[in-house]
Amino acid sequence: GNFHIITGSPMAAQNIIRCIKGAGLESAGLILEPLASAAAVLGHDEMEAGVVLVDIGGGTTDIAIFQDNIIRHSSVIALAGNKITEDIQEGCNIMKGQAEELKVKFGCALASEASKDEFISIPGIRGRAAKEISMYNLAMIIQARLEEIFAMIMHEIEESGFGRKLSAGMVITGGGSQLKHMAHLVNYLTGMDARIGLPDEHLSKGLIREINSPIYATGTGLILKGLESLHDQEMIGGDEEEVKAASSRIPTAKKAKSWLDGLMNTSKKLFEDDMDDYK
């Protein structure tokens, strides 16, 4: 048989499990990040036709290639959103927090779509004069790094041997996919059809507005994988106590909504506190 074997650092896995236990939870298992994201944003028709999923996170860019509903290739690239932030920080000579805010609020993946006459004012430190950052220069910095990332992605696709078998093109998800004109840049660089992957297909209408964002693709996929695992245990006639214990580890919609609200409120507070430090 042919097997897809994924290797990783045991220490990294143990650290994840330690963090979960520290939060008062129990781990039901480990799932590769792009597999979880794929469960949330890819359709069965795409995975059958052939598609590459690109999850651009903070520290890494994860790649997963599917064809005939089977994962065919996976890899991790150590360049992602954080590196773009560092480039902005260095290129514009500003603080890291300001660079991240610039990327999130005004970041554009395609420099040709950015205005050369528009500028962003960055407050100076401790009464110093404000800095004027050109929208066009900001987009140029972002595009240069994205071109490098997608050159590495295309290399991985060619190495996989499935470069000519991806009829459904490329789906980009993760926080880094939220940059304006990202899909247009990907189409221009790779020649492949591209779309931004949103986890809305599997969400109830009441939750779509709150978490219908590429940022939550992996989290949504993890919940779907957990439910799938629970269903498999029930189908094979697993021990009643084991199934009940597994069920208790899968959050209800109400609990999930509560956790997400708490996470979003905490993140918002941390972000506002950081912004107060820059004023």
Side-chain angles (χ1 to χ4, degrees):
N2 292 324
F3 298 89
H4 186 85
I5 300 174
I6 298 163
T7 61
S9 165
M11 184 65 71
Q14 290 168 9
N15 286 341
I16 292 172
I17 293 172
R18 242 184 244 115
C19 290
I20 292 170
K21 288 183 177 178
L25 302 171
E26 290 294 326
S27 171
L30 292 173
I31 296 174
L32 186 68
E33 184 174 353
L35 288 180
S37 299
V41 304
L42 295 183
H44 289 292
D45 52 347
E46 288 178 314
M47 289 192 284
E48 182 177 348
V51 66
V52 54
L53 175 75
V54 176
D55 189 335
I56 306 175
T60 61
T61 296
D62 303 316
I63 305 166
I65 296 174
F66 295 86
Q67 209 259 339
D68 287 338
N69 280 315
I70 298 171
I71 184 168
R72 303 290 184 171
H73 182 79
S74 64
S75 63
V76 178
I77 296 172
L79 288 177
N82 291 346
K83 195 63 181 177
I84 296 174
T85 301
E86 290 175 11
D87 290 345
I88 296 171
Q89 179 186 6
E90 186 176 344
C92 298
N93 195 24
I94 55 178
M95 295 173 64
K96 189 172 183 178
Q98 293 172 326
E100 178 68 19
E101 187 180 9
L102 273 180
K103 182 185 74 175
V104 172
K105 287 188 176 181
F106 306 103
C108 178
L110 203 55
S112 60
E113 296 295 326
S115 172
K116 294 183 179 181
D117 301 322
E118 194 172 350
F119 293 83
I120 309 154
S121 180
I122 302 295
I125 302 172
R126 292 185 175 272
R128 291 177 176 83
K131 288 187 177 181
E132 298 291 328
I133 308 296
S134 165
M135 287 282 285
Y136 179 77
N137 289 341
L138 176 64
M140 285 287 288
I141 293 170
I142 293 172
Q143 181 175 335
R145 181 59 71 180
L146 286 174
E147 287 177 354
E148 181 185 5
I149 292 172
F150 278 95
M152 298 173 74
I153 290 169
M154 291 305 294
H155 174 73
E156 286 290 338
I157 293 172
E158 291 303 319
E159 286 290 307
S160 73
F162 285 86
R164 299 181 182 274
K165 300 178 181 180
L166 303 174
S167 302
M170 186 179 291
V171 176
I172 313 105
T173 192
S177 68
Q178 297 183 106
L179 292 166
K180 295 175 185 175
H181 305 294
M182 174 65 86
H184 291 87
L185 177 67
V186 173
N187 180 262
Y188 169 72
L189 293 176
T190 67
M192 301 171 68
D193 290 332
R195 72 173 179 88
I196 304 302
L198 302 174
D200 55 358
E201 185 176 343
H202 305 284
L203 299 176
S204 66
K205 292 182 179 178
L207 287 174
I208 286 180
R209 184 172 296 177
E210 287 87 348
I211 59 175
N212 185 22
S213 165
I215 295 175
Y216 299 113
T218 302
T220 303
L222 286 171
I223 293 173
L224 290 169
K225 285 292 186 181
L227 290 170
E228 183 182 302
S229 175
L230 178 61
H231 179 262
D232 288 345
Q233 290 183 48
E234 292 172 340
M235 290 297 290
I236 63 175
D239 180 81
E240 185 177 345
E241 289 301 318
E242 290 182 2
V243 173
K244 187 175 180 182
S247 301
S248 67
R249 293 196 291 265
I250 305 299
T252 62
K254 187 175 181 181
K255 283 184 179 178
K257 175 67 165 60
S258 176
W259 292 349
L260 285 168
D261 285 345
L263 177 62
M264 292 169 71
N265 289 335
T266 301
S267 301
K268 182 179 178 183
K269 186 178 185 304
L270 289 172
F271 181 77
E272 289 174 348
D273 289 344
D274 285 344
M275 290 304 100
D276 288 340
D277 292 339
Y278 301 140
K279 292 178 180 178

